Amino acid sequence: MELRQELIEGRAELPRVGAVVPARGVHPPYIVVNGYDDEIEAATAYLRDLALNDCSPLTVRSYGYGVLRWFRLLWLLGVAWEKATEAEVAVLAGWLRTASNPQRQRTRPGGHVPGR
């Protein structure tokens, strides 16, 4: 339970395993692979649906990164994606709200003053 609490409070990081890579075919344009470069079929099916519903390739890629983040959390917690529950969703939501994100930094040391 301690790991879940650390994630919720932004004190733990998700492992940087897996990737979003260009697909060999057209639909979907990108796929999600695990740390062994094996395609994650459930993610491919989801991304294929997005692509076939007229989403741009870059939108599919962006959603692929979201799916990868979800799988990274599940891998870290040792939960199979078909067994994931609201508890894992709560951990991800907490982590997203509290984890360090350089894009949230409004000012940087030596940078311009906001509004300038």
Side-chain angles (χ1 to χ4, degrees):
M1 189 54 103
E2 180 66 27
L3 175 59
R4 289 174 182 260
Q5 193 61 36
E6 287 180 11
L7 285 164
I8 289 171
E9 295 174 2
R11 294 184 288 127
E13 288 297 317
L14 296 180
R16 293 197 175 263
V17 295
V20 175
V21 297
R24 292 187 184 109
V26 176
H27 298 296
Y30 292 92
I31 60 171
V32 180
V33 296
N34 64 18
Y36 301 104
D37 290 333
D38 297 326
E39 181 178 346
I40 300 172
E41 295 294 334
T44 299
Y46 174 69
L47 297 176
R48 182 179 302 114
D49 285 348
L50 286 175
L52 292 173
N53 281 308
D54 217 18
C55 286
S56 78
L58 292 179
T59 298
V60 174
R61 180 175 169 258
S62 179
Y63 275 62
Y65 281 107
V67 171
L68 176 60
R69 188 178 304 114
W70 172 242
F71 273 93
R72 285 176 172 172
L73 175 89
L74 294 177
W75 294 329
L76 180 62
L77 296 176
V79 176
W81 79 270
E82 349 28 64
K83 303 287 186 186
T85 66
E86 256 182 70
E88 287 75 36
V89 174
V91 173
L92 181 62
W95 183 82
L96 287 170
R97 290 180 180 195
T98 58
S100 175
N101 181 345
Q103 293 178 353
R104 288 189 199 136
Q105 295 175 353
R106 301 275 179 189
T107 59
R108 297 173 194 229
H112 295 292
V113 178
R116 182 170 174 201

